[in-house]
Amino acid sequence: MKRLLGVMTDFMDRPGRLVVLFAAMSVAFVAIDVVYITMTTEAGVLEALISPPSYDAFVRTAVLALAAVAALVGELVLTRYRRTARELEAEQVRLRTLYEKNPSAIVTLDRDFVVSYANDKVAQVTGMPLGDIVGHKCYRAIIGLEEPCDGCLVQQVLETGQPHSRIKHEVTVTGRQNWLSQVWYPLLDPDGVVESVVEIASDVSALKLDPLTSLPNRILLRDRLDVALASARRHGLMLAVLFIDIDGFKQVNDTLGHAAGDALLTGFAERLRGVVRQDETLARISGDEFVVLLPAVESEEDVARLADRIKQNLRTPFVISGSEVPLTVSVGGCVYRGGDASAECLIECADAEMYEAKRGGGDGFVFGGLVG
């Protein structure tokens, strides 16, 4: 039965087949009518075909005319349908190619955060088979959380209908670490309601770190600070930012050369790594400017103690190109305790306090109080 339906569908899908069908049906109708006339009257076959009774001639003419009109109209409708179907199929092929051959990882999430689609790149990025991702909640299947992370941007897209983006360090349940540039777009139903969300994630590992010191750069610092702020707002925590500038760094470059300056920055970064805890973020944002993010502090004394550890760690001079280079820093600190303060606001606040320390002669720490 399916084969017969397939043959009929294939027959009807070809141009002109509807006209042929109506023509065949018209011939069959006339043949039946001729047989009927010869059986009910004394007319012969030729007479019944050429000169049927007037009432029968009218019916025959009407039927044939309607069949011709139906065939033409039907063929026009089918022609338009075929053209639309071909265009739709071509568009589907383009979309499949866009999704499946895209160098970025693409997933589609429904309103319950369940992954309804994932392309092959997702398996490469996560190190997981697609069967372990599609049909499961994204945060549980990919990163092993029991609920969406703080400041979940998928939730914001679902609630606002506005696209969002960010750069994120992500560790999957398989231990795969990725630095991803993620963009989320809403997909709307016919009523304009957000039905699902498409996420496009691109590997930006080459952009994640400062090339000289291998520390997080400004972009990743902002990302981590945004995440820390979202967590602080949600849990009612305080966080802090330290802005660090090397005193007299230009003189080192001028007297020993830029290669020596780069060596000094590298050594300085290594020393700072020994002071900063694992849950804190140390970043180089430009030149000789460094920032430390403390995602959770109990008091202003926590910030002051870290600044003092940094200053104590620099008491031993650096040895650059065979010469001892004593080093001091100016440090500015700022603490967030709630409210709508942005990441940029915190960095600017700490930067301003660092310049206060610099104006005081350097080798000092100025705490700017609380923001929020």
Side-chain angles (χ1 to χ4, degrees), residues 199-265:
E199 175 186 341
I200 303 175
S202 303
D203 183 12
V204 292
S205 299
L207 303 178
K208 68 179 181 179
L209 300 178
D210 170 57
L212 178 64
T213 62
S214 296
L215 294 176
N217 59 15
R218 178 183 288 271
I219 295 174
L220 294 184
L221 171 67
R222 284 291 306 272
D223 176 70
R224 291 189 179 183
L225 186 48
D226 285 336
V227 173
L229 278 171
S231 179
R233 293 190 183 102
R234 182 174 181 178
H235 301 292
L237 301 175
M238 296 170 59
L239 65 81
V241 172
L242 287 180
F243 202 106
I244 306 165
D245 185 90
I246 300 175
D247 297 325
F249 179 73
K250 184 177 183 301
Q251 184 178 356
V252 175
N253 272 339
D254 291 343
T255 56
L256 299 179
H258 288 284
D262 288 347
L264 180 61
L265 289 173

Side-chain angles (χ1 to χ4, degrees), residues 25-39:
M25 292 175 64
S26 299
V27 170
F29 169 76
V30 172
I32 293 171
D33 189 45
V34 168
V35 172
Y36 173 78
I37 293 173
T38 57
M39 292 179 63

Side-chain angles (χ1 to χ4, degrees), residues 15 39 41 52-53 113 120 157 180 186 205 219-220 231 258-259 276 283 295 310 338:
M39 292 179 63
T41 66
F113 297 88
D120 291 340
V157 174
L180 302 173
S205 299
I219 295 174
L220 294 184
S231 179
H258 288 284
V276 175
I310 292 172

